[in-house]
Structure formats: structure tokens, C-alpha cells
Amino acid sequence: MLENELERLRLFAYCRVSTRMQVEGGNMENQRRSINRFIEQRRYKCEIVQWFEDEGISAFKERPAYERMMERLLEGGADGIIVVRLDRIGRSVKQLSNLIDTLERDDKKFIASEQSIDTTTMEGRLLTHILMTVAQFEVELFKERSREGRERYVDEGGVWGRKKIEIDTNLKKQLIRRYNSGAGTTKLSKFLATHGIEMSPPTVWHRLVEWGVEIRTIY
């Protein structure tokens, strides 16, 4: 893309912090500064049409500012989105991949100011897809190694773990829903304890994998 085309880019800037403590600690302001500094240093001279901010909201919960931004973006309100990092706008490979696909279909641009991700360039588009592919590969590789390790241990005569704890269908659904809403395995372990079930966070993680839950990837 030519430089004079970049100068005409009209962007929506999106910032998000997960907890109230991060809001009070200035994390939101740090994101704003990073985005402004990136634009100045790279001489984009593009206009930030509007700032959208979700405060104290997990990437896996409803994000009202994000939803408003995407609606306005697809209506033609801007040429693209700028964030500081990928994890501010999505944390799973599937979530990010769907976003990038949506933006590309509508010829919208995506920039992550602190990760050299910039889909206004061919190199930036390639890097974005490479990062998402590598992240997915790491998740799948970890699953495969875990499975092979268990199988090898059993083949050598070992007994894998303690007797498997049964979790009824209703409790299973609650665990999956809480995980998809942003709860970590430690919180899920404590939640199970309130139902009289002792299960370590790593075991909870393996159960989620076993149930086919999409595991979050942190960038």
C-alpha cells in the first residue's frame, strides 16, 4: 500500500482491561499512550475516529464497547481497528481468526501497535496469520504430548492418576460455561470444591481438553 493511502486511514482505537484494579492502575491510559505513540513514530498521520473502551471486562464476556465498534466499523464508520496487542481484542485462536477474516472480507485493516502486526501491508498480513497458526500448533502439540505421555505410562504398567472423578452433566455444563466466561482453572477447582469435589487445576484443565472445550491461548 502506498504511503499516501496510509495517510487517509480512519481508525477506531480499542482498549480493554479485565479488572477494576487495572483500570485504577492506569492500564487503560497506558494503552492509549501506546497507540498514539505508535502512530506518531510510524508517521501514519491517520485519524483516530473514535476510541472504544471496555473497562473491567474479560475477553470472553460480553463487551459492549467492542460490539458497538464492530457494528459501526462494518457500517463504514472507519477503515480499520488499532489495538495495543492481540490479547486486548481476543484470546483464543478461533476468536482472533474469525475477527481477521471478517475484517479482510470487508477490506478493513487491523493494527496491533506493540506486536508489529499491521494488515495494511502484505508482510503484516502474513505475520498475523503466522502468529495465529503457531499459537494453534502449540495448543495441539501440548495436547498430543500429554496424550502420548499418558499412553506410554500406562503401557509400562503404570496406573494413570487416581480413580477418575465423575462429574454429572449439569455440573459439567456449569464448568464449561464459567471457563468460556473467563474463569481460570484455579477458580474452577475452587468451584468444584463447593460441590464436594476435590480436583486440582491441572486436572480441571485436562477435563476441559477431554470434553473438547476450546483452550484459550495467551499472547
Side-chain angles (χ1 to χ4, degrees):
M1 181 174 289
L2 298 176
E3 185 175 353
N4 61 351
E5 290 179 309
L6 288 176
E7 292 177 353
R8 293 196 295 269
L9 280 180
R10 301 169 67 249
L11 300 174
F12 285 152
Y14 179 72
C15 303
R16 180 185 62 80
V17 292
S18 301
T19 66
R20 176 58 54 183
M21 184 178 296
Q22 288 178 323
V23 176
E24 296 173 351
N27 190 286
M28 190 74 81
E29 180 60 30
N30 291 340
Q31 292 181 48
R32 297 190 198 103
R33 289 176 181 172
S34 175
I35 290 172
N36 285 324
R37 184 167 57 248
F38 174 85
I39 292 175
E40 292 172 2
Q41 291 175 348
R42 297 290 295 273
R43 298 180 181 178
Y44 270 86
K45 299 180 182 178
C46 50
E47 176 186 4
I48 300 296
V49 180
Q50 187 173 350
W51 291 82
F52 292 85
E53 300 176 354
D54 280 315
E55 298 184 351
I57 296 178
S58 165
F60 288 89
K61 294 182 178 179
E62 291 185 4
R63 297 170 291 172
Y66 172 80
E67 297 299 335
R68 290 196 305 272
M69 177 185 69
M70 291 302 297
E71 183 177 354
R72 286 205 56 203
L73 180 70
L74 299 180
E75 289 175 349
D79 301 313
I81 301 170
I82 183 169
V83 297
V84 290
R85 295 181 304 278
L86 288 174
D87 65 359
R88 293 304 85 198
I89 204 162
R91 283 198 166 177
S92 74
V93 174
K94 182 178 180 181
Q95 193 177 46
L96 290 167
S97 180
N98 288 342
L99 171 63
I100 297 300
D101 287 344
T102 297
L103 295 178
E104 289 184 346
R105 282 197 303 270
D106 285 82
D107 195 28
K108 303 298 183 182
K109 311 306 177 186
F110 179 77
I111 298 171
S113 64
E114 295 183 0
Q115 293 177 311
S116 301
I117 294 174
D118 179 357
T119 63
T120 63
T121 68
M122 181 177 64
E123 294 83 358
R125 290 190 293 273
L126 176 62
L127 177 60
T128 301
H129 287 285
I130 288 175
L131 285 175
M132 290 192 297
T133 301
V134 169
Q136 182 63 50
F137 173 76
E138 289 177 345
V139 171
E140 297 299 329
L141 183 62
F142 185 84
K143 291 180 183 178
E144 181 66 17
R145 286 177 174 172
S146 297
R147 183 186 63 79
E148 291 176 350
R150 291 195 300 270
E151 291 179 351
R152 182 169 58 252
Y153 180 68
V154 172
D155 288 342
E156 293 173 353
V159 177
W160 182 258
R162 295 172 292 181
K163 182 179 179 181
K164 189 172 183 178
I165 300 173
E166 296 298 329
I167 297 179
D168 64 47
T169 302
N170 182 53
L171 191 55
K172 172 182 173 181
K173 290 180 179 179
Q174 291 186 59
L175 286 172
I176 293 174
R177 183 170 61 251
R178 285 169 179 265
Y179 180 79
N180 288 335
S181 295
T185 53
T186 298
K187 286 187 177 180
L188 295 181
S189 177
K190 292 179 179 178
F191 171 71
L192 285 172
T194 64
H195 289 75
I197 298 176
E198 296 297 328
M199 185 177 291
S200 68
T203 303
V204 173
W205 188 93
H206 282 291
R207 283 297 179 93
L208 292 171
V209 172
E210 178 184 314
W211 294 335
V213 176
E214 181 185 352
I215 301 302
R216 296 194 291 266
T217 301
I218 306 300
Y219 293 88

